[in-house]
Amino acid sequence: MRNMRTPLLATTKTVTVLLCMLGVISNAHAQFATTIIPVTPTETTGSAPAAPAKSAPKAAASKPATPVAAPAAPAPAATRARVEPRPVDSILVVVNNEVITRQEVAERLASVEKRMAAQNVQLPPRAQLVRQLVERMIVERAQAQMAKESGIVVDDAMLDRAMQRIAEQNKLSMPEFRTRLEAEGMNYASFREEIRREILSQRLREREVDNKVVVTESEIDNYLAAEANAGGQRQELDIAQILIRVPENATPEQLSARRERAEDVLRQLKTGADFAKTAAAYSDASDALSGGDLGWRPADRLPQLFLDGVSKLQDGQVSGLLKSGNGFHILKLVGRRAAGATQAAAPAVQKTHVRHILIKVNQVVTAAEAKRKLTELKERLDHGSATFEELAKLYSNDLSASKGGDLGWIYPGDTVPEFERAMDKLKPGEVSEPIETPFGYHLIQVVERKTDDASKERARQAARQAIRERKIEEATEDWMRQIRDRAYVEYRNDD
């Protein structure tokens, strides 16, 4: 539970970006769905996975047979003149045992074009944009399949609660929120599915990446030493990136081809090409269709490779090629600014020693069952038939279960808002009613509280969080590359 962050739309800016991602498909785009021609991959990573090859799914065995209409008498000329061609959907890509259709791509293309226009990002040539979009959809589909196999589910009730939180964060009622979406030309049902994908991806990443990140004490020591040498002043950087991803276990030929592609992109930028437009056309990073812009971030939250790459750049300048485990990066320094003093200079804060019991909601355990189970445990605690620690060890789905649910000392902002609000209402020794957060349902017990004047313990905790966030971002890029490389992908080109 420690270091949990609100997984969904914590700021109005993020909400605006996601709103812009969703648009209403026009008849022109529906017609376009029947004519998209995928860009044939220049490498074998799309059709020959790096991991042990899976057998081709049945969906990929052969093209669906085209229904043949029964013979009919010729229609009168006037009737034939009124007949217009109708778009027919078809398979564009097979991803493992599922498909992506041309209609799906056309719908996403419409929303992406709308979002890029709202962000003033120049559109690349359509063929390049389609290729980028299809690659993103392949990764999304593979992630959804992995989540399903792992038992991670976002049901309609959970999604409704998430939508309610989004509306509240924007200070709107649900009817007002729907009206705002419609005024922006957004389809409410499509927006809900976009949020479902966001939550699913977040929970899968927490399981596959976040929970495996380890921060050592020596890393914290080095971080604090470097911060002290900087005089306690922090910087924030606005960086945009283009990533030319290298497949996992790439051959020398693949590595050479990717380097040549990265060098070609760099030459285009050096001769005046627009960075955002070029990122949308060539970058393999998840932020490509946003022009590669990472936004303002504290320097300590950025990979060291990025900090070294832009250290000598002036605003607006572009770096050379930077090699990481994920591929070749090209960075643009959009701007830099002072970010104030370090956490060590922060005012006194109240910290809370807290325990919890977490019941996660999944395919096996519904939200109602989780809440009912915690209500039963709360009754046992109220009657004194068991201790909190005993029940946490027996029933909690959290890593803290082995410690009796003990989360240690929690500072403001260390947990998601729902957990923090419930915790702050409790007196020492008191146990909450079942509380819902994006992680499931909790019983919370406050052990004690005290005031901390931002001591060394707090400084180390802040350093741990900064290092952890940086590692998570780097590990996420590598994880997404592995998902793509290991998926069975077959492109379909209709004759």
Side-chain angles (χ1 to χ4, degrees), residues 6-12 14-16 18-19 158-174 177 181 188 191-192 194-196 198-199 418:
T6 304
L8 185 62
L9 305 181
T11 64
T12 302
T14 307
V15 174
T16 303
L18 275 176
L19 290 175
M158 189 184 304
L159 187 57
D160 288 339
R161 292 190 291 270
M163 296 294 288
Q164 182 67 45
R165 286 195 294 269
I166 297 172
E168 290 173 356
Q169 289 165 0
N170 285 273
K171 298 179 173 58
L172 298 171
S173 66
M174 281 306 298
F177 183 55
L181 285 175
Y188 181 75
F191 183 82
R192 286 182 86 256
E194 181 72 19
I195 298 304
R196 192 195 300 272
E198 289 284 334
I199 299 173
E418 299 91 338

Side-chain angles (χ1 to χ4, degrees), residues 107-366:
E107 291 174 356
R108 290 290 294 275
L109 180 66
S111 65
V112 165
E113 289 176 332
K114 180 176 290 187
R115 177 179 61 79
M116 294 177 69
Q119 295 179 335
N120 295 318
V121 176
Q122 295 183 38
L123 291 174
R126 173 157 284 182
Q128 292 176 331
L129 183 58
V130 169
R131 181 184 65 82
Q132 290 286 76
L133 182 58
V134 169
E135 277 298 309
R136 171 171 293 192
M137 293 177 72
I138 288 171
V139 174
E140 287 178 357
R141 191 61 54 89
Q143 281 183 317
Q145 293 165 356
M146 181 182 292
K148 184 177 180 180
E149 292 170 359
S150 302
I152 301 173
V153 175
V154 180
D155 60 27
D156 289 339
M158 189 184 304
L159 187 57
D160 288 339
R161 292 190 291 270
M163 296 294 288
Q164 182 67 45
R165 286 195 294 269
I166 297 172
E168 290 173 356
Q169 289 165 0
N170 285 273
K171 298 179 173 58
L172 298 171
S173 66
M174 281 306 298
E176 290 171 338
F177 183 55
R178 295 190 68 153
T179 300
R180 174 74 65 84
L181 285 175
E182 292 169 0
E184 296 290 335
M186 312 301 170
N187 180 276
Y188 181 75
S190 297
F191 183 82
R192 286 182 86 256
E193 292 309 306
E194 181 72 19
I195 298 304
R196 192 195 300 272
R197 286 194 295 268
E198 289 284 334
I199 299 173
L200 200 66
S201 177
Q202 165 77 15
R203 294 195 169 183
L204 182 64
R205 195 202 71 181
E206 287 166 358
R207 172 175 172 161
E208 298 295 326
V209 180
D210 296 18
N211 291 340
K212 299 176 183 178
V213 169
V214 176
V215 179
T216 66
E217 294 301 314
S218 62
E219 288 175 318
I220 296 174
D221 292 337
N222 294 336
Y223 176 94
L224 293 174
E227 194 172 66
N229 292 334
Q233 292 298 313
R234 291 184 173 184
Q235 274 196 332
E236 289 184 346
L237 302 175
D238 187 359
I239 294 176
Q241 72 156 333
I242 294 174
L243 168 64
I244 306 301
R245 184 173 284 129
V246 173
E248 189 178 24
N249 301 321
T251 64
E253 292 76 15
Q254 288 176 316
L255 184 61
S256 176
R258 289 289 172 159
R259 180 184 290 275
E260 288 179 8
R261 184 182 182 193
E263 290 173 345
D264 178 61
V265 170
L266 183 59
R267 279 194 295 271
Q268 293 182 43
L269 294 172
K270 295 294 186 182
T271 54
D274 179 77
F275 193 96
K277 179 179 179 180
T278 306
Y282 294 102
S283 180
D284 297 319
S286 59
D287 49 43
L289 298 179
S290 298
D293 192 4
L294 303 179
W296 287 101
R297 297 192 185 185
D300 57 17
R301 261 66 171 181
L302 288 167
Q304 190 61 45
L305 177 71
F306 285 20
L307 295 178
D308 295 340
V310 302
S311 62
K312 298 181 181 180
L313 297 182
Q314 300 297 318
D315 291 0
Q317 289 185 329
V318 175
S319 72
L321 290 187
L322 305 174
K323 180 70 171 65
S324 76
N326 290 317
F328 298 97
H329 303 259
I330 303 171
L331 305 179
K332 177 182 178 180
L333 178 61
V334 181
R336 69 173 83 228
R337 65 189 181 192
T342 65
Q343 289 284 347
V349 294
Q350 179 177 263
K351 63 180 182 179
T352 305
H353 185 191
V354 64
R355 299 188 182 103
H356 82 143
I357 299 173
L358 169 65
I359 304 295
K360 294 182 178 180
V361 177
N362 51 42
Q363 285 181 317
V364 178
V365 180
T366 66

